[in-house]
Amino acid sequence: MDIAAAPATPVTAPAAPAPAAFRTDIAGALTDLLFTPGLDLDEAVDRHFAPDYRQRTDGRWDDRAAFLTHIAHLRSVVAGGSVTVLDELSDGDRYADRHVVEVTKTDGSTVRMEVYLFAEFAPDGRFRRIEETTLLLAGDEADRDLGSAR
């Protein structure tokens, strides 16, 4: 009994994934906003936040204009610092993370805050919406509202 070989089925390699489009993250955004002296505020915000951006921090909603006011204030009181991302997850247009921000203020005092964040990306990879809650780990009680200070 002759067994004929089955015709070969062409095997094609899977298509290479499309190059990743730009997608911001919280460490890059906060570094540009707060810890990159000389970077223009509008340029930093435009790089990471969509025109229709809005944010809720500890229950308080702000639009993009109020967010700019907040960051401008922080730039006047923050001398330096760092962001450490502890957990980070992205799925489609959704993003979540847990991060710690350590800040040295212009008066020499320090603040350490843990932040729990949920966000939505705009189609271009910038943040469209962030909702976050903050936990003061170290610092003066007056710094508890640093995440929404004006």
Side-chain angles (χ1 to χ4, degrees):
M1 165 175 196
D2 284 339
I3 299 178
T9 304
V11 177
T12 57
F22 168 79
R23 182 161 278 186
T24 192
D25 60 34
I26 201 63
L30 289 176
T31 297
D32 282 354
L33 292 172
L34 300 177
F35 308 130
T36 307
L39 181 59
D40 178 72
L41 175 59
D42 290 325
E43 181 182 342
V45 171
D46 286 344
R47 184 178 294 173
H48 299 282
F49 301 90
D52 60 346
Y53 177 73
R54 59 194 190 107
Q55 176 172 317
R56 183 171 71 170
T57 301
D58 296 327
R60 176 185 173 158
W61 279 105
D62 286 323
D63 61 11
R64 185 178 163 121
F67 176 69
L68 279 162
T69 300
H70 164 63
I71 297 301
H73 169 72
L74 289 180
R75 283 181 161 206
S76 74
V77 299
V78 171
S82 64
V83 180
T84 303
V85 175
L86 305 172
D87 298 294
E88 187 173 46
L89 174 68
S90 180
D91 184 22
D93 69 348
R94 303 302 172 160
Y95 175 87
D97 91 349
R98 180 172 65 100
H99 63 273
V100 173
V101 180
E102 297 189 49
V103 168
T104 300
K105 294 171 58 179
T106 54
D107 66 6
S109 64
T110 59
V111 180
R112 189 167 182 250
M113 299 190 89
E114 187 168 348
V115 181
Y116 300 85
L117 178 150
F118 291 90
E120 176 187 0
F121 290 115
D124 65 5
R126 294 183 290 172
F127 288 122
R128 169 178 279 152
R129 176 180 49 87
I130 288 179
E131 296 186 47
E132 63 185 5
T133 188
T134 62
L135 175 64
L136 182 66
L137 300 176
D140 190 88
E141 185 63 30
D143 293 321
R144 184 170 299 283
D145 72 343
L146 198 61
S148 58
R150 302 279 181 282

